[in-house]
Amino acid sequence: MTVLLTTHAAVGAESRELNGLVRPFFEQHCNRCHDAKKQKGDLRVDNLIVDLQSPKIMGHWEEIMSRINSGDMPPEDEARPKPEEISKVADWILLQLREAETVRQSSAGERVAFRKLTRDEYANTIRDLLGVNFDVKAPSGLPEDPDWKGFERIGSVLTLSPAHVEKYLSAADAILDEALSIRPEPKREVIRWEAFDMRWKGFKEEYEARGIADKVRIEIVPRNYTTDSWNIEIKNTGDYILRLKLSGLRPEGGRAPRLKVYMSSINTTLIEQDVDAPEDKPITVEARVHLVAGKYPVRIINSVPGPNPEGRRSRHSGTPNAFTNTRSRVPWQLKLTDDDFKPIQPTLIIDTVEWDGPIVDSWPTQAHQKIFVSKDAREILTKFATRAWRRPVQAKEIERLMQPVQKSLELGDSFEVAVKNGLIAVLCAKSFLYLEEGDAAKAAPKLSDYELASRLSYFLWSSMPDERLLELAKQGKLHEAKMLGAEVKRMLADAKARAFAESFPRQWLQLRKVGMFPPDKELYPDYDENLEQSMVGETLGFFDEVLKRNGSLRDFLDSDWTMMNERLAMHYGIEGVRGDQMQRIALKPEHHRGGLLTQASVLSLTSDGTRHRPVHRGVWMLESIIGRPPPPPPANVPALTTPDAKAKKTTVREKLELHRSDPNCTACHNKIDPLGIAFDNYDAIGRWRTVETIKDGVGDNPKLDPSGMLPDGRTFADSVALKHLLLDDLDKFAAAVTDKLATYALRRGMTFSDRDELKRIVQESKAGDYKLASLIESLVTSPLFLKR
C-alpha cells in the first residue's frame, strides 16, 4: 500500500528530526521490507511523513512505535539497532502522536467550539446563579467526568450521553423547585435526638424514676463501631443545620476520637472531624448540610481504628445499665478508662443531635425575588437566560423558550409554574451546559469579551462570571492586558479561587488516584480514611499556600515547610502538631520532607497497595513534573520475578536491574527508573525507612540504595540530591507547569503552534523567579489565552 502524504505540522525542528533521525533509521533497518518495491504487512515507510489530521497515517506511526519498542521490528535475523537509537526514534514518534491527539482537541477550523461544564462546575454555577447547593455526586446527581491525562475538563472528552440529558432535566426541575419554593413556604422544623431517645426508649419510666433520664449519654468506641442506625425523615429539600453536643476522650499520648456522621443509603458524609473535649465540658459541632426530602438511616461513627469491641459488647439493648459517665461503668462492660479514670482509648460521648431546617434566608427566596421581577414571562426569561448563558440573548432564542411557557398556560398552570418550565429550558440548553466559543456566521480566531469572561471565570473560579466580569465584557474592556491583569489579582483574592486551588493540583498531579488501590490492611494497619484525606489535604493545602503567598515554583520541588495536621504528623513521625486542621509547619532535614515529591499523597498514588513501585513513580515524574511522558510499554512485558523462598532477600531495585537488562527495555527504563528509585526510602504509603521489608527470602532485610544516574550522565545519591538537580533545571519544570496550567485553562492539550507563546510566558515569569500567581497572570494576559 502506498501512502500519499501531505504534512501540516512536521516543520522546523520536527521536520529536521524526521529527515535527520527517523529516515536514516528507516533506511538502515526498515526500508528493505517496507519501500516502494516491497511492503510487508501492507506498510510502506520510506516516504512516510506526518499528517496530524489523518488518523490513518498516524495509526501507521503508532504501529511502528509499538513494533520497534517491543523488538518485533527489525526481525531477529536482521541487525539490531542500539537501544538508545530505538529510544530516540520512539520518543520522536510519541511526540507526533501526542501532537495529533491535541490537534484533534483544538477548535482550529471550527466556527463554534463547545466545551461542556464538568459536574463540579455545574454545581458551582447553580450555586452562584440560584443559591442552591446541588449535590452532583449524590445518586440523583450527575455522572462522573472522564479524564484525559488527569484533566477532567478537556472539551473533546466531556461528551453528552442520553443519561446526561435525563439527569440534567431532573436536576433542573429539583433545583428550581428549591430555589423558587413555588409551593408554600416550607415549615422550619427542629428534630432533636437526645441520647435517651436514641437508645433508651424502652426504659423511660425506670430512668425517670431513678432521676437519670436527662443524664444518659452514648459512648462510641473506635473502629467504626456503633450499635444502631437512626432514621431521619426530611420533609422539605433544602439546607439544614446539623448540630451535635458531645465530648471526645483522648488517651494520653494517643489520638483524639474522630466523629463521622454518615448517611449510608446515599453514601454521604455530613460531618467528619476530630473531637478533643473533656467528659465534663462537651462542645457543640455543627455544619450546614444539603438534604433532599426523604427518609435516611444515619450512623454516628468513631472512625479511629482500634481494638475490636465485638468480643465485649456493652450490652446497651435489653439492660437497664444506662451510661451516664465513665465512672458509671460496671465490670462486664467495655472498659473505657484505667483505674484512675483516664481514657485508655479514643472515645466519643454523645449528648444530643439536632437537625434544624430547612434554612430559608428570606421569603420569598432571594432567587424568587430576582427572577420574578415582573408579570411579563418574556422579560423574566430574557434576564434569566442572559445571566445563565453568560452572554446577551437573541430574540429568536427567547421565542423558543416561550413555547413551553405558553403550552403550560394553555393547560391551566399558574404563571409561576409556567415560567418555571421556561427556566428549565434555560438550564438544559447548550448555552448553559457548555462554554461556547466562536461565531457560526463568521470565522473568529479570538474570543469575544463575553467568551473571555467565561474562560477566565471557569479557569480561576470553576464557576460563572460575576457581575463585574460581565459588565467589563459589555463595555468591551476585558480583553485589555492591564484590565485582565487587574481582574486576575481580584479573582485570586476572592474566596471562590479556592476552587482553582483544589481543582488544578488535583488534576495536574492526578490525586484522584490516591486510594485507588487501598493499602493492604495487614501490611499497613495504621492506614485509614482520615490519613488518606490528610495526605491529599497536605498537597492541596501546600498548593493553596504557595498561590496565596505568590510563592515560587521552586517550592513545589523542594521546601523547608509543608501543610500538616495532627494525623499526618503522626504518620510522618513529627511531634508537636495538634488539631485536625491543616497548618503550616517548618521542616527539618531529619524529617526527610519538602516539596511535592516527598508528600505521602504522591508517594502512595504511585504505589499499588502492597509495595512501592519505582517505575510508576518514575513515569509519574516524567508526566507531571518533567512534562515528557515515556512511550507506552510493549505488550506482554513480564512482571518482576518472585524470588525463591530460600534465596537471599533482594530489593525491588535489584529486580529492576535484572528486568532492564533486556535490550528492549533498557533505553526507556534508563529514563524512568532512576527518577523512581531516588524515592525508595519511602514505602507504599509514604513513610520513611532505610531498609526494605521483604517477606520472601532469607537473611536480613536489605538496605536501600536510592542513588542513580540521569540519562544526561548527572548522578545523585538520594532524593535530596535529585531535587537539587531538578532545581538546576527549574526552567524545564516551569515549562512543564505552564503547559499544565494552559491545558487546564484552555481545556485542551497544547500543540506545536502554542509552543512559542508558552516559551514566551515562561521567560516572562523567569524574571520574577517563577512566582505562581504572577505566572497565572502572564498566561491570562498572553495572546494564547485570548485565542480560540
Side-chain angles (χ1 to χ4, degrees):
M1 176 184 66
T2 301
V3 183
L4 300 177
L5 295 154
T6 57
T7 180
H8 294 276
V11 294
E14 286 70 33
S15 182
R16 289 194 296 272
E17 288 192 358
L18 172 63
N19 294 318
L21 170 67
V22 180
R23 290 204 185 285
F25 182 90
F26 284 172
E27 186 174 343
Q28 183 176 357
H29 300 289
C30 308
N31 288 357
R32 194 158 38 254
C33 299
H34 302 280
D35 63 3
K37 296 179 181 179
K38 186 178 182 181
Q39 291 123 40
K40 276 191 174 183
D42 202 25
L43 177 65
R44 179 179 175 182
V45 302
D46 64 310
N47 68 342
L48 189 62
I49 56 176
V50 176
D51 186 342
L52 300 178
Q53 296 180 341
S54 169
K56 185 176 182 179
I57 292 171
M58 299 313 294
H60 291 316
W61 283 109
E62 186 171 9
E63 181 182 359
I64 291 169
M65 183 184 70
S66 176
R67 293 289 187 89
I68 64 175
N69 256 345
S70 64
D72 291 344
M73 289 176 55
E76 292 183 1
D77 56 352
E78 299 284 345
R80 302 294 298 170
K82 295 179 180 179
E84 54 268 27
E85 292 178 315
I86 293 175
S87 176
K88 289 180 181 179
V89 172
D91 283 351
W92 184 87
I93 296 175
L94 180 65
L95 284 176
Q96 315 315 307
L97 293 173
R98 295 190 186 281
E99 179 69 14
E101 187 176 13
T102 54
V103 163
R104 289 195 293 272
Q105 297 173 0
S106 173
S107 59
E110 299 176 12
R111 286 294 177 94
V112 183
F114 298 95
R115 294 184 169 89
K116 191 165 73 71
L117 302 184
T118 68
R119 65 177 184 175
D120 287 337
E121 290 172 333
Y122 178 91
N124 293 340
T125 304
I126 290 294
R127 176 202 66 205
D128 293 341
L129 179 65
L130 291 165
V132 172
N133 295 308
F134 181 68
D135 187 357
V136 292
K137 298 179 182 179
S140 59
L142 301 179
E144 186 176 5
D145 297 317
D147 76 300
W148 177 79
K149 300 178 183 175
F151 289 101
E152 301 164 13
R153 56 193 348 244
I154 303 302
S156 60
V157 174
L158 296 177
T159 56
L160 189 68
S161 69
H164 279 99
V165 174
E166 293 178 8
K167 290 282 190 178
Y168 283 133
L169 281 168
S170 175
D173 185 51
I175 288 164
L176 287 168
D177 249 3
E178 182 178 343
L180 303 178
S181 292
I182 292 174
R183 299 185 303 275
E185 180 180 4
K187 179 182 178 182
R188 186 163 174 173
E189 184 178 8
V190 177
I191 305 170
R192 184 181 176 89
W193 293 344
E194 294 185 356
F196 186 92
D197 298 325
M198 284 188 278
R199 192 167 284 162
W200 300 105
K201 286 184 178 179
F203 305 101
K204 180 177 180 180
E205 292 182 1
E206 179 179 344
Y207 288 126
E208 286 178 346
R210 290 170 56 184
I212 63 170
D214 61 342
K215 298 180 177 63
V216 174
R217 311 175 80 185
I218 291 179
E219 77 280 34
I220 305 179
V221 296
R223 205 179 183 185
N224 298 325
Y225 173 62
T226 50
T227 56
D228 299 297
S229 293
W230 298 279
N231 289 325
I232 181 172
E233 186 171 1
I234 301 300
K235 296 178 181 178
N236 293 288
T237 298
D239 282 3
Y240 287 74
I241 301 296
L242 170 59
R243 299 187 186 93
L244 293 93
K245 182 182 177 184
L246 74 170
S247 298
L249 309 186
R250 176 202 288 263
E252 187 174 350
R255 291 177 57 175
R258 186 166 182 81
L259 169 70
K260 179 176 180 179
V261 182
Y262 178 67
M263 303 178 80
S264 56
S265 61
I266 57 174
N267 192 26
T268 298
T269 298
L270 302 180
I271 293 180
E272 185 168 14
Q273 70 175 69
D274 288 351
V275 178
D276 191 354
E279 181 181 357
D280 59 344
K281 295 180 181 178
I283 61 172
T284 298
V285 172
E286 70 173 47
R288 185 163 177 154
V289 298
H290 188 264
L291 301 174
V292 178
K295 192 172 185 178
Y296 304 97
V298 178
R299 297 192 74 197
I300 304 174
I301 299 168
N302 181 356
S303 61
V304 174
N308 186 357
E310 294 297 322
R312 295 193 64 190
R313 295 289 294 269
S314 295
R315 303 184 195 173
H316 298 299
S317 300
T319 173
N321 289 293
F323 173 79
T324 55
N325 57 63
T326 53
R327 294 173 183 262
S328 70
R329 309 294 279 175
V330 294
W332 49 261
Q333 288 184 303
L334 186 68
K335 202 170 184 183
L336 303 179
T337 64
D338 60 18
D339 293 339
D340 295 323
F341 297 102
K342 293 180 179 179
I344 59 175
Q345 58 182 321
T347 304
L348 291 173
I349 302 177
I350 311 293
D351 292 290
T352 59
V353 182
E354 188 173 283
W355 311 78
D356 181 2
I359 305 300
V360 179
D361 297 320
S362 63
W363 179 257
T365 63
Q366 290 185 7
H368 192 289
Q369 295 175 50
K370 288 181 180 179
I371 291 173
F372 287 99
V373 293
S374 75
K375 285 294 184 179
D376 184 345
R378 185 174 275 99
E379 179 184 353
I380 290 173
L381 290 177
T382 300
K383 289 185 176 180
F384 184 72
T386 298
R387 186 78 180 93
W389 293 353
R390 307 163 301 264
R391 62 166 175 81
V393 295
Q394 300 175 7
K396 61 182 180 181
E397 292 175 317
I398 299 301
E399 290 306 316
R400 287 198 295 270
L401 294 174
M402 283 296 298
Q403 292 176 9
V405 178
Q406 292 165 348
K407 184 67 174 178
S408 183
L409 289 172
E410 291 171 4
L411 293 173
D413 291 330
S414 68
F415 177 75
E416 288 185 333
V417 170
V419 169
K420 179 194 168 190
N421 290 328
L423 300 177
I424 289 176
V426 172
L427 295 183
C428 292
K430 68 179 186 303
S431 295
F432 178 74
L433 300 174
Y434 286 81
L435 297 181
E436 298 175 294
E437 296 177 353
D439 189 334
K442 61 181 180 180
K446 291 187 176 181
L447 299 177
S448 72
D449 275 38
Y450 281 105
E451 292 164 353
L452 180 58
S454 286
R455 176 175 284 186
L456 180 58
S457 67
Y458 282 99
F459 174 32
L460 297 182
W461 286 348
S462 293
S463 186
M464 64 188 301
D466 63 0
E467 294 291 351
R468 175 169 173 77
L469 282 174
L470 291 176
E471 180 59 29
L472 289 173
K474 182 179 180 180
Q475 297 172 10
K477 296 180 179 180
L478 187 57
H479 69 278
E480 299 171 3
K482 186 176 180 180
M483 186 64 71
L484 267 179
E487 284 304 291
V488 170
K489 290 183 176 68
R490 177 182 75 87
M491 294 174 71
L492 288 177
D494 192 284
K496 287 190 286 188
R498 180 69 182 176
F500 169 75
E502 291 187 358
S503 178
F504 173 69
R506 189 182 293 275
Q507 296 182 46
W508 163 35
L509 303 172
Q510 303 180 47
L511 297 180
R512 71 188 295 178
K513 293 182 179 179
V514 176
M516 182 179 291
F517 300 103
D520 186 289
K521 294 286 187 183
E522 293 186 8
L523 296 176
Y524 308 102
D526 292 333
Y527 188 93
D528 60 6
E529 186 180 13
N530 184 13
L531 176 59
E532 186 175 295
Q533 293 168 350
S534 300
M535 289 175 173
V536 175
E538 175 188 21
T539 304
L540 299 182
F542 187 86
F543 183 91
D544 188 43
E545 185 77 358
V546 174
L547 179 63
K548 285 179 178 177
R549 294 172 179 257
N550 196 14
S552 171
L553 297 185
R554 66 176 65 249
D555 282 345
F556 293 135
L557 295 178
D558 197 17
S559 67
D560 59 2
W561 63 275
T562 192
M563 303 299 290
M564 196 180 300
N565 63 5
E566 181 178 347
R567 179 68 187 93
L568 191 63
M570 289 177 61
H571 183 64
Y572 288 161
I574 297 176
E575 297 180 352
V577 180
R578 295 293 290 265
D580 199 30
Q581 299 302 310
M582 288 291 162
Q583 50 204 278
R584 182 167 171 143
I585 301 297
L587 295 173
K588 301 176 182 177
E590 57 265 31
H591 294 152
H592 307 291
R593 307 286 164 179
L596 295 172
L597 305 180
T598 52
Q599 292 180 2
S601 61
V602 169
L603 294 163
S604 66
L605 73 85
T606 51
S607 303
D608 67 359
T610 57
R611 64 171 177 82
H612 70 297
R613 295 273 185 170
V615 175
H616 291 191
R617 289 176 176 176
V619 169
W620 180 89
M621 285 271 290
L622 288 169
E623 289 176 342
S624 301
I625 303 300
I626 297 174
R628 294 297 295 267
N636 302 319
V637 176
L640 296 182
T641 58
T642 301
D644 188 295
K646 297 181 180 179
K648 180 183 177 182
K649 291 183 177 181
T650 55
T651 63
V652 172
R653 174 185 181 134
E654 291 169 325
K655 296 174 186 176
L656 278 175
E657 288 173 349
L658 292 173
H659 180 72
R660 71 183 188 201
S661 61
D662 183 336
N664 295 322
C665 305
T666 301
C668 281
H669 278 274
N670 282 344
K671 300 175 186 176
I672 298 170
D673 294 0
L675 297 173
I677 286 170
F679 299 93
D680 272 5
N681 283 121
Y682 303 90
D683 70 8
I685 58 173
R687 295 177 302 190
W688 174 261
R689 69 216 177 137
T690 56
V691 299
E692 184 173 335
T693 302
I694 299 172
K695 182 178 179 181
D696 298 316
V698 297
D700 296 334
N701 286 323
K703 289 185 177 180
L704 289 159
D705 177 12
S707 64
M709 182 174 69
L710 299 179
D712 61 11
R714 289 181 295 169
T715 60
F716 56 86
D718 51 24
S719 60
V720 174
L722 175 62
K723 288 193 285 186
H724 290 161
L725 294 181
L726 293 174
L727 285 170
D728 290 341
D729 290 337
L730 190 58
D731 291 355
K732 294 179 181 178
F733 175 62
V737 174
T738 304
D739 183 280
K740 300 292 185 180
L741 277 169
T743 297
Y744 179 89
L746 275 58
R747 310 171 84 94
R748 63 172 176 82
M750 296 296 100
T751 68
F752 286 130
S753 61
D754 301 320
R755 288 184 181 178
D756 287 343
E757 191 56 38
L758 287 170
K759 186 176 181 180
R760 190 199 64 77
I761 294 168
V762 172
Q763 288 301 312
E764 182 177 305
S765 66
K766 183 177 183 178
D769 194 28
Y770 298 117
K771 302 290 187 181
L772 178 57
S774 301
L775 175 61
I776 292 170
E777 184 178 339
S778 294
L779 170 62
V780 171
T781 55
S782 72
L784 176 62
F785 194 84
L786 299 177
K787 77 177 184 179
R788 290 185 53 231

